[in-house]
Amino acid sequence: MIYLTMMIFVKDGKEEVFHQFEELAIPLLKDYKGKLVYRLRPTKESFISHEDELPYEIHFLSFESESDFVNFAKDERRKDFLHLKEESIRSSFLIKGMKV
């Protein structure tokens, strides 16, 4: 089992486009033994401290294996709506981990 935390920074004014992308991408997770464990849209008040810009959303995902995640990322159906991701997400970073 692998765990992924994704910090997502959305372009100003592109929140609805991002939501459209998520509505299409999230259901594909189950096809690759993936699960969106938590999807958070934190407010400024929910941070105790920070040194950098705050993310629009934080996703905590799990996949049964690294190959399941790689196959999800390569899913041909995603190509049909990747333009929504490119239009709406300014930057993101992914943190991989495992349960200890």
Side-chain angles (χ1 to χ4, degrees):
M1 183 78 68
I2 65 164
Y3 296 93
L4 306 167
T5 303
M6 181 172 272
M7 310 291 274
I8 303 165
F9 301 87
V10 173
K11 296 175 185 175
D12 289 338
K14 295 294 184 173
E15 294 83 3
E16 280 305 314
V17 177
F18 173 70
H19 297 168
Q20 291 172 16
F21 171 73
E22 292 293 277
E23 287 174 17
L24 296 167
I26 290 171
L28 298 179
L29 290 168
K30 66 180 178 238
D31 293 346
Y32 297 94
K33 302 178 202 142
K35 180 164 73 159
L36 180 60
V37 179
Y38 301 111
R39 181 179 179 192
L40 307 168
R41 193 169 301 147
T43 63
K44 186 176 181 180
E45 296 76 32
S46 62
F47 285 84
I48 296 168
S49 68
H50 62 89
E51 293 188 20
D52 291 329
E53 174 186 13
L54 302 179
Y56 178 73
E57 280 193 6
I58 302 169
H59 294 183
F60 185 72
L61 304 109
S62 67
F63 286 88
E64 285 191 23
S65 70
E66 179 82 23
S67 63
D68 289 326
F69 169 64
V70 169
N71 291 332
F72 166 74
K74 291 179 180 179
D75 185 292
E76 287 293 318
R77 295 170 292 178
R78 292 180 76 229
K79 291 180 182 178
D80 293 337
F81 53 86
L82 275 180
H83 66 280
L84 297 171
K85 177 182 178 182
E86 293 164 1
E87 181 183 339
S88 63
I89 296 178
R90 184 170 30 81
S91 65
S92 63
F93 62 89
L94 184 70
I95 304 158
K96 292 184 185 181
M98 64 177 67
K99 192 172 188 175
V100 292

